[in-house]
Amino acid sequence: MKELCILDRWEGDTAVIEVTDEEDRTHWQKADRSELPPDAREGDVLTRSGQSWQVDQEATAARREKMARRLARLKGRGNA
């Protein structure tokens, strides 16, 4: 089963990860900062391998671009 994992926020040394499954059900998972790459930041798409997480750079870039387009579209609606 394919899940979408997003680094939602940091709570001290704990990462709070939003996990959404194929059926669009969401749950939250916590991970220690040491399990994530040092450059991981909020909004990154994550994949898991064993006990550690990796940032999916390609998926993160695509997601950030999609969100930027959505925000620009919403801002444009207010000018009409």
Side-chain angles (χ1 to χ4, degrees):
M1 174 164 55
K2 181 74 173 161
E3 296 179 322
L4 177 64
C5 303
I6 308 293
L7 176 53
D8 183 65
R9 66 185 179 277
W10 292 102
E11 293 180 350
D13 285 335
T14 302
V16 179
I17 301 166
E18 177 184 351
V19 181
T20 305
D21 67 18
E22 289 177 338
E23 296 175 4
D24 207 28
R25 293 181 299 212
T26 300
H27 69 275
W28 303 91
Q29 182 171 345
K30 292 186 177 184
D32 190 76
R33 185 179 291 270
S34 65
E35 297 176 37
L36 280 83
D39 61 341
R41 61 187 188 144
E42 294 172 350
D44 283 348
V45 177
L46 302 172
T47 58
R48 187 166 182 120
S49 176
Q51 293 298 316
S52 64
W53 294 87
Q54 293 80 38
V55 175
D56 183 331
Q57 299 293 342
E58 188 175 308
T60 296
R63 183 173 181 276
R64 290 188 194 284
E65 184 177 316
K66 178 181 176 181
M67 299 306 279
R69 284 194 312 266
R70 183 178 290 170
L71 180 60
R73 188 174 64 242
L74 289 172
K75 284 182 177 180
R77 288 184 183 173
N79 295 334

